[in-house]
């Protein structure tokens, strides 16, 4: 093994750079040259990469948000948007990527990304490339691992927002609603509600009844607490209701282009009517993805990066680096991809995706219930 390359793909998270640093340093310590593919799969297609060096361009990056090699949210190389005769068409250009990687002699490509990225990674592995995935996303919804990098930072940002909403809510006797990200999984909402002293956590896995939530808030009023903190996951929905879609995003074909958002505002309006308390919504948005990673994410990302390079040295390809019961491990990408077996089949957060959602026997659910956090059911 002489040359390896890293690509970061999908929505950014805090910790991208810490993983890159972990891979680069481990590679250097084993006499291997490490390269960074610019803007994810787009860079693989365009053969655009730079050499990374922990004493120059990959130095001082541990604490930095974003990605020093960029990331792409709309580069599905199996279904790539191209203009032909003034018309937009979608083409499978994955063979170009395979050719580029082989021509330039990369012995391994590390794919840092969520389920969509790992689906393409598995497909490229089946086409003959040596691939090792690293699980990224603030949503914490990648299958087969206990945790993804970037998630802990997102939870911490949401927790800090709750601390701040707590004091203003208490002062003005208001219901403070915080809408957080997470797509179809409620991890961020649930864990930040526990960390930030939330009274209510509404998650996609438990369709809610706002009358039940209002009951909880009224009980608090009776006991002298004339304010409440309500955390709402962007993918939460009422019983017999629908998920709230804000708009459509442009992430290419074959991926989920639903832009979630807006449920926080609806919940605040409804709770104001049901309780008589004033309610205000705050949508946290991209604050959850940017900025410096927490200590936990720096360590997790470094562990993932070093482990990924270790797996490459062992010649173990077509796998995802994971954390299982607190221990680093690896699982075949095939398992992560789940039902999306076909090469080039739809990738990303779709009905067929193998997403890891909150289950009712999870300790977070039990803890929330034990301490009286209303889950809206
Ligand atoms: O998957 C990560 C995530 O931040 C989700 O929590 C959110 O729904 C989505 O990405 C936002 O996507 P975009 O960057 O396309 O607006």
């Amino acid at each position: 093994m002489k040359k390896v390359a890293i690509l970061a793909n999908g929505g950014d998270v805090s910790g991208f750079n810490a993983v890159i640093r972990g891979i680069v340093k481990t590679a250097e310590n084993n006499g291997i040259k490490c390269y960074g593919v610019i803007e994810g799969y787009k860079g693989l297609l365009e053969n655009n990469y730079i050499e990374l060096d922990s004493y120059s361009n990959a130095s001082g990056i541990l604490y930095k948000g974003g990605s020093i090699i960029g990331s792409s949210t709309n580069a599905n190389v199996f279904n790539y948007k191209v203009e032909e005769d003034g018309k937009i068409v979608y083409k499978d250009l994955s063979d170009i990527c395979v050719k580029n990687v082989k021509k330039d002699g990369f012995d391994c490509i590390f794919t840092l990304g969520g389920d969509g990225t790992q689906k393409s990674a598995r497909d490229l592995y089946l086409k003959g490339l040596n691939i090792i995935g690293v699980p990224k996303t603030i949503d914490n919804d990648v299958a087969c691992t206990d945790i993804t990098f970037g998630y802990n930072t997102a939870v911490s940002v949401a927790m800090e927002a709750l601390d701040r909403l707590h004091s203003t809510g208490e002062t003005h006797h208001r219901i403070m609603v915080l809408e957080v990200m997470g797509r179809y999984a409620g991890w961020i909402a649930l864990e930040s509600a526990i960390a930030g002293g939330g009274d209510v956590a509404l998650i996609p896995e438990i369709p809610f009844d706002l009358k039940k939530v209002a009951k909880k808030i009224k009980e608090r009023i009776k006991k002298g607490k004339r304010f409440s903190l309500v955390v709402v996951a962007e993918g939460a929905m009422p019983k017999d209701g629908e998920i709230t879609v804000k708009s459509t995003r442009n992430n290419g074909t074959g991926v989920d282009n639903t832009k979630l958002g807006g449920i926080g505002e609806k919940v605040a309006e409804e709770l104001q009517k049901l309780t008589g308390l004033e309610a205000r919504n705050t949508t946290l948005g991209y604050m959850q993805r940017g900025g410096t990673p927490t200590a936990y994410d720096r360590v997790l990302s470094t562990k993932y990066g070093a482990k990924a390079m270790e797996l490459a040295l062992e010649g173990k390809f077509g796998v995802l680096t994971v954390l299982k019961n607190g221990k680093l491990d690896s699982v075949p990408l095939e398992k992560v991809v789940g039902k999306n077996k076909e090469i080039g089949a739809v990738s990303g957060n779709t009905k067929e995706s193998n997403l890891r959602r909150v289950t009712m026997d999870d300790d977070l659910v039990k803890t929330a219930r034990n301490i009286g956090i209303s889950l809206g059911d």
Side-chain angles (χ1 to χ4, degrees):
M1 175 146 311
K2 291 195 181 81
K3 269 174 96 173
V4 295
I6 306 167
L7 71 80
N9 202 68
D12 70 339
V13 301
S14 300
F16 254 150
N17 289 325
V19 177
I20 293 168
R21 177 178 173 272
I23 296 174
V24 172
K25 279 184 174 277
T26 311
E28 286 175 353
N29 286 338
N30 286 281
I32 293 162
K33 277 194 189 296
C34 195
Y35 293 78
V37 179
I38 305 300
E39 290 183 14
Y41 286 121
K42 184 167 173 271
L44 209 58
L45 193 61
E46 294 171 355
N47 213 19
N48 187 10
Y49 54 83
I50 50 164
E51 189 175 342
L52 296 172
D53 177 346
S54 75
Y55 286 90
S56 59
N57 59 358
S59 159
I61 61 169
L62 179 60
Y63 68 95
K64 282 189 182 156
S67 157
I68 59 162
I69 50 174
S71 184
S72 180
T73 52
N74 55 4
N76 180 0
V77 292
F78 290 86
N79 216 342
Y80 203 76
K81 187 178 169 183
V82 280
E83 215 184 303
E84 263 182 12
D85 305 326
K87 270 194 192 158
I88 298 291
V89 289
Y90 289 87
K91 289 195 151 180
D92 180 355
L93 302 180
S94 57
D95 285 343
I96 301 176
C97 299
V98 174
K99 221 168 84 193
N100 286 342
V101 171
K102 290 197 168 159
K103 179 172 67 71
D104 289 330
F106 287 110
D107 300 307
C108 177
I109 305 288
F110 297 102
T111 53
L112 282 43
D115 57 309
T117 301
Q118 303 312 341
K119 165 71 174 56
S120 294
R122 191 289 308 245
D123 292 352
L124 288 170
Y125 170 69
L126 291 183
K127 282 183 163 243
L129 295 188
N130 289 339
I131 302 272
I132 294 173
V134 184
K136 167 236 69 167
T137 171
I138 62 164
D139 306 335
N140 202 27
D141 61 358
V142 174
C144 306
T145 186
D146 291 345
I147 193 159
T148 53
F149 70 90
Y151 167 67
N152 183 265
T153 305
V155 170
S156 302
V157 171
M159 178 197 74
E160 197 192 325
L162 283 171
D163 287 349
R164 291 176 190 278
L165 293 174
H166 195 151
S167 59
T168 168
E170 191 166 16
T171 306
H172 295 291
H173 315 304
R174 284 172 170 164
I175 298 167
M176 302 306 287
V177 176
L178 180 69
E179 182 185 306
V180 297
M181 284 183 166
R183 293 199 76 70
Y184 307 110
W187 297 108
I188 300 177
L190 187 56
E191 193 153 351
S192 67
I194 293 172
D199 306 295
V200 179
L202 305 179
I203 61 174
E205 294 84 349
I206 307 177
F208 59 79
D209 176 352
L210 286 185
K211 290 202 183 87
K212 301 254 172 76
V213 176
K215 192 168 165 250
K216 159 89 190 174
I217 292 171
K218 284 180 183 165
E219 273 165 24
R220 280 177 51 78
I221 299 172
K222 261 195 215 150
K223 290 180 178 159
K225 295 284 182 193
R226 292 161 63 204
F227 74 100
S228 282
L229 291 176
V230 179
V231 189
V232 185
E234 62 180 359
M237 70 198 101
K239 267 184 189 154
D240 311 317
E242 298 275 302
I243 210 161
T244 304
V245 174
K246 192 175 175 204
S247 57
T248 305
R249 39 182 206 176
N250 184 20
N251 284 2
T253 57
V255 296
D256 176 13
N257 277 315
T258 314
K259 176 88 194 87
L260 302 182
I263 186 66
E265 206 59 65
K266 289 186 187 171
V267 165
E269 251 173 55
E270 199 58 30
L271 285 179
Q272 181 160 311
K273 283 188 209 148
L274 289 169
T275 63
L277 275 191
E278 259 194 324
R280 295 283 190 271
N281 172 62
T282 300
T283 301
L284 198 51
Y286 297 87
M287 299 278 292
Q288 293 157 97
R289 288 181 11 185
T292 189
T294 56
Y296 182 91
D297 258 332
R298 292 181 198 197
V299 175
L300 178 70
S301 302
T302 305
K303 278 160 92 174
Y304 273 158
K307 175 73 180 178
M309 189 61 229
E310 199 182 290
L311 290 166
L313 288 163
E314 288 166 9
K316 211 166 172 191
F317 303 112
V319 294
L320 183 75
T321 314
V322 296
L323 196 76
K324 268 284 163 210
N325 305 320
K327 295 290 286 175
L328 285 170
D329 205 344
S330 65
V331 291
L333 281 167
E334 193 65 41
K335 274 198 171 176
V336 180
V337 166
K339 292 182 197 138
N340 285 337
K341 295 284 184 207
E342 214 181 299
I343 291 194
V346 173
S347 68
N349 291 335
T350 66
K351 280 190 193 118
E352 288 73 34
S353 302
N354 200 18
L355 297 184
R356 181 177 163 269
R357 297 192 173 90
V358 177
T359 53
M360 294 312 109
D361 62 348
D362 193 278
D363 284 343
L364 289 176
V365 173
K366 290 186 196 162
T367 304
R369 292 203 193 280
N370 277 338
I371 64 165
I373 293 178
S374 164
L375 299 178
D377 57 345

